[in-house]
Structures are given as structure tokens and as C-alpha cells.
Short mmCIF file of all heavy atoms in Angstrom, two decimals:
data_model
loop_
_atom_site.label_atom_id
_atom_site.label_comp_id
_atom_site.label_asym_id
_atom_site.label_seq_id
_atom_site.Cartn_x
_atom_site.Cartn_y
_atom_site.Cartn_z
N MET A 9 0.84 -1.18 0.00
CA MET A 9 0.00 0.00 0.00
C MET A 9 0.89 1.24 0.00
O MET A 9 1.81 1.37 0.79
CB MET A 9 -0.90 -0.03 1.22
CG MET A 9 -1.86 1.09 1.28
SD MET A 9 -3.07 0.71 2.58
CE MET A 9 -3.61 2.31 2.94
N SER A 10 0.61 2.15 -0.86
CA SER A 10 1.41 3.36 -1.01
C SER A 10 0.90 4.45 -0.06
O SER A 10 -0.29 4.59 0.16
CB SER A 10 1.31 3.84 -2.45
OG SER A 10 2.02 5.03 -2.59
N THR A 11 1.85 5.22 0.48
CA THR A 11 1.50 6.33 1.36
C THR A 11 1.20 7.56 0.52
O THR A 11 1.98 7.90 -0.35
CB THR A 11 2.68 6.63 2.30
OG1 THR A 11 3.04 5.43 2.97
CG2 THR A 11 2.31 7.67 3.31
N PRO A 12 0.07 8.21 0.73
CA PRO A 12 -0.26 9.39 -0.08
C PRO A 12 0.71 10.54 0.22
O PRO A 12 1.20 10.67 1.33
CB PRO A 12 -1.68 9.74 0.37
CG PRO A 12 -1.87 9.09 1.68
CD PRO A 12 -0.95 7.90 1.71
N PRO A 13 0.98 11.37 -0.81
CA PRO A 13 1.88 12.52 -0.59
C PRO A 13 1.31 13.47 0.45
O PRO A 13 0.11 13.69 0.52
CB PRO A 13 1.95 13.19 -1.96
CG PRO A 13 1.20 12.35 -2.91
CD PRO A 13 0.48 11.29 -2.15
N GLY A 14 2.18 14.02 1.25
CA GLY A 14 1.75 14.96 2.27
C GLY A 14 1.34 14.31 3.57
O GLY A 14 0.93 14.99 4.50
N SER A 15 1.44 13.00 3.66
CA SER A 15 1.04 12.33 4.89
C SER A 15 2.11 12.54 5.96
O SER A 15 3.28 12.78 5.65
CB SER A 15 0.83 10.84 4.64
OG SER A 15 2.08 10.20 4.43
N PRO A 16 1.73 12.44 7.22
CA PRO A 16 2.70 12.62 8.30
C PRO A 16 3.87 11.64 8.23
O PRO A 16 4.99 11.98 8.61
CB PRO A 16 1.89 12.41 9.56
CG PRO A 16 0.48 12.68 9.17
CD PRO A 16 0.38 12.28 7.72
N GLN A 17 3.65 10.44 7.74
CA GLN A 17 4.72 9.45 7.66
C GLN A 17 5.80 9.90 6.68
O GLN A 17 7.00 9.73 6.93
CB GLN A 17 4.16 8.10 7.24
CG GLN A 17 5.23 7.02 7.23
CD GLN A 17 4.67 5.66 6.86
OE1 GLN A 17 3.48 5.52 6.66
NE2 GLN A 17 5.53 4.68 6.77
N VAL A 18 5.42 10.50 5.57
CA VAL A 18 6.39 11.00 4.59
C VAL A 18 7.24 12.09 5.22
O VAL A 18 8.47 12.10 5.08
CB VAL A 18 5.68 11.51 3.32
CG1 VAL A 18 6.64 12.21 2.39
CG2 VAL A 18 4.99 10.36 2.61
N TRP A 19 6.61 13.02 5.91
CA TRP A 19 7.36 14.11 6.54
C TRP A 19 8.27 13.58 7.64
O TRP A 19 9.39 14.07 7.82
CB TRP A 19 6.40 15.17 7.09
CG TRP A 19 5.81 15.98 6.00
CD1 TRP A 19 4.52 15.94 5.57
CD2 TRP A 19 6.49 16.90 5.15
NE1 TRP A 19 4.36 16.80 4.51
CE2 TRP A 19 5.56 17.40 4.23
CE3 TRP A 19 7.80 17.35 5.08
CZ2 TRP A 19 5.88 18.33 3.25
CZ3 TRP A 19 8.13 18.28 4.11
CH2 TRP A 19 7.18 18.76 3.22
N LEU A 20 7.83 12.58 8.36
CA LEU A 20 8.66 11.97 9.39
C LEU A 20 9.92 11.35 8.77
O LEU A 20 11.02 11.50 9.31
CB LEU A 20 7.87 10.91 10.16
CG LEU A 20 8.60 10.21 11.28
CD1 LEU A 20 9.00 11.20 12.37
CD2 LEU A 20 7.74 9.10 11.85
N GLU A 21 9.76 10.69 7.64
CA GLU A 21 10.92 10.11 6.96
C GLU A 21 11.87 11.18 6.43
O GLU A 21 13.09 11.02 6.49
CB GLU A 21 10.45 9.20 5.83
CG GLU A 21 9.80 7.92 6.34
CD GLU A 21 9.33 7.00 5.23
OE1 GLU A 21 9.89 7.08 4.12
OE2 GLU A 21 8.41 6.21 5.48
N ILE A 22 11.34 12.28 5.92
CA ILE A 22 12.17 13.39 5.44
C ILE A 22 12.98 13.98 6.59
O ILE A 22 14.19 14.22 6.46
CB ILE A 22 11.30 14.46 4.75
CG1 ILE A 22 10.75 13.92 3.43
CG2 ILE A 22 12.09 15.75 4.54
CD1 ILE A 22 9.72 14.80 2.79
N VAL A 23 12.34 14.19 7.73
CA VAL A 23 13.03 14.73 8.90
C VAL A 23 14.09 13.75 9.38
O VAL A 23 15.20 14.15 9.75
CB VAL A 23 12.02 15.07 10.02
CG1 VAL A 23 12.73 15.38 11.33
CG2 VAL A 23 11.14 16.23 9.59
N GLN A 24 13.79 12.47 9.35
CA GLN A 24 14.75 11.46 9.78
C GLN A 24 15.98 11.44 8.87
O GLN A 24 17.12 11.34 9.35
CB GLN A 24 14.09 10.09 9.79
CG GLN A 24 14.95 9.02 10.40
CD GLN A 24 14.19 7.71 10.54
OE1 GLN A 24 13.06 7.57 10.07
NE2 GLN A 24 14.81 6.76 11.19
N ILE A 25 15.79 11.58 7.58
CA ILE A 25 16.92 11.64 6.64
C ILE A 25 17.76 12.90 6.91
O ILE A 25 18.99 12.85 6.92
CB ILE A 25 16.42 11.61 5.19
CG1 ILE A 25 15.86 10.22 4.86
CG2 ILE A 25 17.53 11.98 4.21
CD1 ILE A 25 15.12 10.15 3.55
N ALA A 26 17.10 14.03 7.15
CA ALA A 26 17.82 15.27 7.44
C ALA A 26 18.65 15.14 8.72
O ALA A 26 19.79 15.59 8.77
CB ALA A 26 16.83 16.43 7.55
N LEU A 27 18.10 14.50 9.74
CA LEU A 27 18.85 14.31 10.97
C LEU A 27 20.04 13.36 10.77
O LEU A 27 21.10 13.58 11.34
CB LEU A 27 17.92 13.78 12.07
CG LEU A 27 16.90 14.78 12.59
CD1 LEU A 27 15.93 14.10 13.55
CD2 LEU A 27 17.58 15.95 13.26
N ASP A 28 19.86 12.34 9.95
CA ASP A 28 20.98 11.45 9.64
C ASP A 28 22.09 12.20 8.92
O ASP A 28 23.28 12.03 9.23
CB ASP A 28 20.51 10.27 8.78
CG ASP A 28 19.73 9.24 9.57
OD1 ASP A 28 19.80 9.25 10.82
OD2 ASP A 28 19.06 8.40 8.94
N LEU A 29 21.72 13.04 7.97
CA LEU A 29 22.73 13.85 7.27
C LEU A 29 23.44 14.80 8.22
O LEU A 29 24.65 14.99 8.13
CB LEU A 29 22.07 14.63 6.13
CG LEU A 29 21.64 13.81 4.92
CD1 LEU A 29 20.85 14.69 3.96
CD2 LEU A 29 22.83 13.20 4.23
N LEU A 30 22.70 15.38 9.13
CA LEU A 30 23.28 16.29 10.11
C LEU A 30 24.25 15.55 11.04
O LEU A 30 25.26 16.11 11.47
CB LEU A 30 22.18 16.97 10.92
CG LEU A 30 22.58 18.11 11.83
CD1 LEU A 30 23.19 19.25 11.03
CD2 LEU A 30 21.38 18.60 12.61
N ALA A 31 23.98 14.29 11.33
CA ALA A 31 24.86 13.51 12.19
C ALA A 31 26.11 13.04 11.45
O ALA A 31 27.20 13.02 12.02
CB ALA A 31 24.10 12.32 12.75
N TRP A 32 25.97 12.64 10.20
CA TRP A 32 27.10 12.10 9.45
C TRP A 32 27.99 13.15 8.82
O TRP A 32 29.19 12.93 8.64
CB TRP A 32 26.60 11.15 8.36
CG TRP A 32 26.27 9.80 8.89
CD1 TRP A 32 25.04 9.33 9.23
CD2 TRP A 32 27.19 8.74 9.16
NE1 TRP A 32 25.13 8.05 9.70
CE2 TRP A 32 26.45 7.66 9.65
CE3 TRP A 32 28.57 8.60 9.03
CZ2 TRP A 32 27.05 6.47 10.02
CZ3 TRP A 32 29.15 7.41 9.40
CH2 TRP A 32 28.40 6.36 9.88
N MET A 33 27.44 14.28 8.47
CA MET A 33 28.22 15.31 7.78
C MET A 33 29.46 15.76 8.56
O MET A 33 30.54 15.82 7.99
CB MET A 33 27.32 16.49 7.43
CG MET A 33 27.94 17.50 6.46
SD MET A 33 28.85 18.86 7.19
CE MET A 33 27.73 19.58 8.30
N PRO A 34 29.36 16.04 9.86
CA PRO A 34 30.59 16.44 10.57
C PRO A 34 31.66 15.35 10.57
O PRO A 34 32.84 15.65 10.46
CB PRO A 34 30.10 16.73 12.00
CG PRO A 34 28.67 17.01 11.86
CD PRO A 34 28.19 16.18 10.71
N MET A 35 31.25 14.10 10.69
CA MET A 35 32.22 13.01 10.71
C MET A 35 32.93 12.84 9.37
O MET A 35 34.10 12.49 9.32
CB MET A 35 31.54 11.71 11.11
CG MET A 35 31.12 11.69 12.57
SD MET A 35 30.48 10.09 13.05
CE MET A 35 28.77 10.27 12.60
N LEU A 36 32.22 13.10 8.29
CA LEU A 36 32.79 12.88 6.96
C LEU A 36 33.48 14.12 6.39
O LEU A 36 34.44 14.00 5.64
CB LEU A 36 31.68 12.45 5.99
CG LEU A 36 31.04 11.10 6.27
CD1 LEU A 36 29.87 10.89 5.33
CD2 LEU A 36 32.05 9.98 6.14
N ALA A 37 33.01 15.30 6.74
CA ALA A 37 33.47 16.49 6.03
C ALA A 37 34.27 17.48 6.89
O ALA A 37 35.10 18.19 6.35
CB ALA A 37 32.28 17.23 5.43
N LEU A 38 34.03 17.52 8.17
CA LEU A 38 34.66 18.54 8.99
C LEU A 38 35.92 18.02 9.68
O LEU A 38 36.07 16.82 9.89
CB LEU A 38 33.68 19.09 10.03
CG LEU A 38 32.43 19.76 9.46
CD1 LEU A 38 31.51 20.18 10.58
CD2 LEU A 38 32.80 20.94 8.59
N THR A 39 36.79 18.94 10.05
CA THR A 39 38.03 18.58 10.75
C THR A 39 38.20 19.48 11.96
O THR A 39 37.56 20.52 12.07
CB THR A 39 39.26 18.75 9.83
OG1 THR A 39 39.32 20.10 9.39
CG2 THR A 39 39.18 17.82 8.63
N GLY A 40 39.08 19.08 12.87
CA GLY A 40 39.42 19.89 14.02
C GLY A 40 38.24 20.14 14.95
O GLY A 40 37.40 19.27 15.17
N LYS A 41 38.19 21.36 15.49
CA LYS A 41 37.13 21.71 16.43
C LYS A 41 35.75 21.74 15.78
O LYS A 41 34.74 21.52 16.44
CB LYS A 41 37.42 23.07 17.06
CG LYS A 41 38.57 23.07 18.02
CD LYS A 41 38.74 24.43 18.65
CE LYS A 41 39.89 24.42 19.63
NZ LYS A 41 40.04 25.70 20.31
N ALA A 42 35.71 22.00 14.48
CA ALA A 42 34.42 22.06 13.78
C ALA A 42 33.71 20.71 13.82
O ALA A 42 32.48 20.66 13.78
CB ALA A 42 34.63 22.49 12.33
N ARG A 43 34.45 19.64 13.92
CA ARG A 43 33.86 18.30 13.97
C ARG A 43 33.05 18.11 15.25
O ARG A 43 32.13 17.29 15.29
CB ARG A 43 34.96 17.27 13.89
CG ARG A 43 34.47 15.87 13.77
CD ARG A 43 35.60 14.94 13.60
NE ARG A 43 35.58 14.49 12.22
CZ ARG A 43 36.38 13.58 11.74
NH1 ARG A 43 37.29 13.05 12.47
NH2 ARG A 43 36.26 13.22 10.49
N LEU A 44 33.35 18.88 16.29
CA LEU A 44 32.67 18.73 17.58
C LEU A 44 31.50 19.70 17.76
O LEU A 44 30.86 19.68 18.81
CB LEU A 44 33.69 18.94 18.71
CG LEU A 44 34.89 18.00 18.69
CD1 LEU A 44 35.87 18.39 19.77
CD2 LEU A 44 34.45 16.56 18.83
N TRP A 45 31.23 20.55 16.78
CA TRP A 45 30.13 21.50 16.90
C TRP A 45 28.80 20.77 17.04
O TRP A 45 28.53 19.79 16.34
CB TRP A 45 30.06 22.42 15.69
CG TRP A 45 31.17 23.40 15.59
CD1 TRP A 45 32.03 23.80 16.57
CD2 TRP A 45 31.55 24.12 14.42
NE1 TRP A 45 32.91 24.73 16.08
CE2 TRP A 45 32.64 24.95 14.77
CE3 TRP A 45 31.07 24.16 13.12
CZ2 TRP A 45 33.25 25.79 13.86
CZ3 TRP A 45 31.68 25.01 12.22
CH2 TRP A 45 32.75 25.81 12.59
N GLU A 46 27.93 21.27 17.91
CA GLU A 46 26.60 20.71 18.06
C GLU A 46 25.70 21.21 16.93
O GLU A 46 26.06 22.16 16.23
CB GLU A 46 26.02 21.05 19.44
CG GLU A 46 25.72 22.49 19.66
CD GLU A 46 26.89 23.28 20.25
OE1 GLU A 46 27.97 22.71 20.48
OE2 GLU A 46 26.72 24.49 20.44
N PRO A 47 24.55 20.58 16.71
CA PRO A 47 23.68 20.95 15.57
C PRO A 47 23.32 22.42 15.51
O PRO A 47 23.27 23.00 14.43
CB PRO A 47 22.44 20.09 15.78
CG PRO A 47 22.94 18.89 16.51
CD PRO A 47 24.03 19.40 17.41
N ARG A 48 23.08 23.05 16.64
CA ARG A 48 22.71 24.47 16.63
C ARG A 48 23.84 25.33 16.05
O ARG A 48 23.63 26.23 15.26
CB ARG A 48 22.36 24.92 18.04
CG ARG A 48 21.88 26.33 18.11
CD ARG A 48 21.50 26.67 19.52
NE ARG A 48 21.03 28.05 19.59
CZ ARG A 48 20.62 28.62 20.69
NH1 ARG A 48 20.59 27.95 21.82
NH2 ARG A 48 20.22 29.86 20.68
N ARG A 49 25.07 25.03 16.47
CA ARG A 49 26.23 25.78 15.98
C ARG A 49 26.47 25.49 14.50
O ARG A 49 26.84 26.37 13.74
CB ARG A 49 27.46 25.42 16.80
CG ARG A 49 28.60 26.34 16.55
CD ARG A 49 29.64 26.18 17.60
NE ARG A 49 29.08 26.62 18.87
CZ ARG A 49 29.78 26.86 19.95
NH1 ARG A 49 31.07 26.67 19.95
NH2 ARG A 49 29.21 27.27 21.06
N LEU A 50 26.26 24.25 14.07
CA LEU A 50 26.38 23.90 12.65
C LEU A 50 25.41 24.70 11.81
O LEU A 50 25.76 25.23 10.77
CB LEU A 50 26.12 22.41 12.43
CG LEU A 50 27.25 21.45 12.72
CD1 LEU A 50 26.73 20.02 12.65
CD2 LEU A 50 28.39 21.65 11.77
N ARG A 51 24.16 24.77 12.27
CA ARG A 51 23.15 25.52 11.52
C ARG A 51 23.54 26.98 11.40
O ARG A 51 23.40 27.57 10.33
CB ARG A 51 21.78 25.40 12.20
CG ARG A 51 21.07 24.12 11.93
CD ARG A 51 19.61 24.20 12.34
NE ARG A 51 19.41 24.62 13.71
CZ ARG A 51 19.33 23.79 14.76
NH1 ARG A 51 19.45 22.51 14.58
NH2 ARG A 51 19.14 24.26 15.96
N PHE A 52 24.03 27.57 12.47
CA PHE A 52 24.38 28.99 12.43
C PHE A 52 25.61 29.24 11.56
O PHE A 52 25.62 30.12 10.72
CB PHE A 52 24.61 29.54 13.83
CG PHE A 52 25.17 30.94 13.82
CD1 PHE A 52 24.37 32.00 13.44
CD2 PHE A 52 26.49 31.19 14.15
CE1 PHE A 52 24.88 33.29 13.40
CE2 PHE A 52 27.01 32.47 14.12
CZ PHE A 52 26.20 33.52 13.75
N ARG A 53 26.66 28.46 11.76
CA ARG A 53 27.93 28.74 11.10
C ARG A 53 28.01 28.25 9.66
O ARG A 53 28.62 28.90 8.82
CB ARG A 53 29.07 28.15 11.91
CG ARG A 53 29.22 28.84 13.24
CD ARG A 53 30.40 28.34 14.00
NE ARG A 53 30.55 29.13 15.23
CZ ARG A 53 31.46 28.91 16.12
NH1 ARG A 53 32.33 27.95 15.95
NH2 ARG A 53 31.53 29.66 17.20
N LEU A 54 27.43 27.10 9.39
CA LEU A 54 27.57 26.51 8.06
C LEU A 54 26.34 26.66 7.19
O LEU A 54 26.43 26.96 6.01
CB LEU A 54 27.95 25.03 8.18
CG LEU A 54 29.22 24.71 8.95
CD1 LEU A 54 29.49 23.22 8.91
CD2 LEU A 54 30.40 25.49 8.43
N PHE A 55 25.18 26.42 7.76
CA PHE A 55 23.97 26.36 6.94
C PHE A 55 23.29 27.70 6.72
O PHE A 55 22.35 27.80 5.95
CB PHE A 55 22.97 25.37 7.53
CG PHE A 55 23.52 23.98 7.68
CD1 PHE A 55 23.15 23.19 8.74
CD2 PHE A 55 24.42 23.46 6.76
CE1 PHE A 55 23.65 21.92 8.87
CE2 PHE A 55 24.93 22.19 6.89
CZ PHE A 55 24.54 21.41 7.95
#
């Protein structure tokens, strides 16, 4: 059964993917002290 567009489950999956990217990006791309920045600091400084 397919989930209709705009359903809460679709948005939950989108948010989950975004959180996974936010968790993996510092480990893969950042170095030094920037690797230890918390999500709020990442959003302000990088995004």
C-alpha cells in the first residue's frame, strides 16, 4: 500500500533523513574543532 503525498509518515521520513545527514556530515566532512560543533552551531555557522 502506497503512502499518499503529504502524509505525516512521509514528513517523518524526510526529517529522519535530514537528521541522519546532520549527524554524518561532521564526521565525513569537517576537521578539528568544527567536527565537535553541536547541531545548533552547525546551523548557524555553516547552513
Side-chain angles (χ1 to χ4, degrees):
M9 183 169 157
S10 177
T11 306
S15 72
Q17 184 178 358
V18 171
W19 286 109
L20 181 63
E21 290 180 26
I22 290 171
V23 169
Q24 188 173 7
I25 290 169
L27 290 173
D28 285 344
L29 288 173
L30 189 61
W32 279 98
M33 192 270 306
M35 289 186 273
L36 294 173
L38 299 177
T39 59
K41 290 183 179 183
R43 187 176 253 185
L44 303 174
W45 290 342
E46 67 270 1
R48 183 177 180 179
R49 192 165 294 194
L50 279 172
R51 281 194 306 270
F52 172 71
R53 293 184 176 178
L54 302 183
F55 303 145

